[in-house]
């Protein structure tokens, strides 16, 4: 399929604030604290499709809230140089083993 992106300047802090405002009540219903901090080396102004990026962030955070049973630690990206192709993220609750992988109900997209 074809997807059209509307790339424009976007204030990252405002975008993140909107996501927090939308999803904090859902997190609090589960007894979870939800906060976002922008690292100093992450630009305050980015060029992106704001609507699509917001949708991606909302989906990720909604799933994180849905599958988090207790509060305890925050996702923390490992530092990587600009231009690197990947960034790893780790999260979990201290003192508990990592969860078992979820069974795949369908083959991955190709």
């Amino acid at each position: 399929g074809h997807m059209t992106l509307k790339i424009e300047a976007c204030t990252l802090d405002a975008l993140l604030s909107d996501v927090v405002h939308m999803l904090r009540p859902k997190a609090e219903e589960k007894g979870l604290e939800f906060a976002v901090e922008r690292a100093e080396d992450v630009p305050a102004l980015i060029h992106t499709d704001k609507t699509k990026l917001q949708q991606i962030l909302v989906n990720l955070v909604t799933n994180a809230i849905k599958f988090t049973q207790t509060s305890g630690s925050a996702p923390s990206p490992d530092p990587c140089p600009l231009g690197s192709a990947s960034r790893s993220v780790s999260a979990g609750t201290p003192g508990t083993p990592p969860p078992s992988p979820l069974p795949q109900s369908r083959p991955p997209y190709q």
Side-chain angles (χ1 to χ4, degrees):
H2 180 72
M3 180 185 303
T4 303
L5 298 176
K6 182 181 174 188
I7 306 298
E8 59 188 341
C10 171
T11 305
L12 189 56
D13 290 332
L15 177 75
L16 295 174
S17 179
D18 289 346
V19 172
V20 169
H21 181 73
M22 281 190 284
L23 298 177
R24 181 175 279 145
K26 184 177 283 209
E28 289 175 348
E29 284 176 11
K30 285 192 70 176
L32 302 172
E33 181 179 340
F34 177 43
V36 175
E37 294 179 13
R38 182 179 51 82
E40 290 180 23
D41 61 338
V42 174
L45 184 69
I46 59 173
H47 290 83
T48 187
D49 184 317
K50 179 182 176 181
T51 303
K52 299 250 187 290
L53 179 57
Q54 185 172 16
Q55 180 181 11
I56 290 166
L57 293 173
V58 166
N59 289 342
L60 287 171
V61 173
T62 299
N63 284 336
I65 292 168
K66 181 178 177 180
F67 294 108
T68 299
Q69 295 176 2
T70 59
S71 184
S73 77
S76 174
D78 293 333
C80 70
L82 291 175
S84 175
S86 67
R87 180 177 292 267
S88 64
V89 177
S90 61
T93 302
T96 60
S100 302
L102 295 173
Q104 279 193 323
S105 59
R106 59 182 175 214
Y109 294 107
Q110 297 192 20

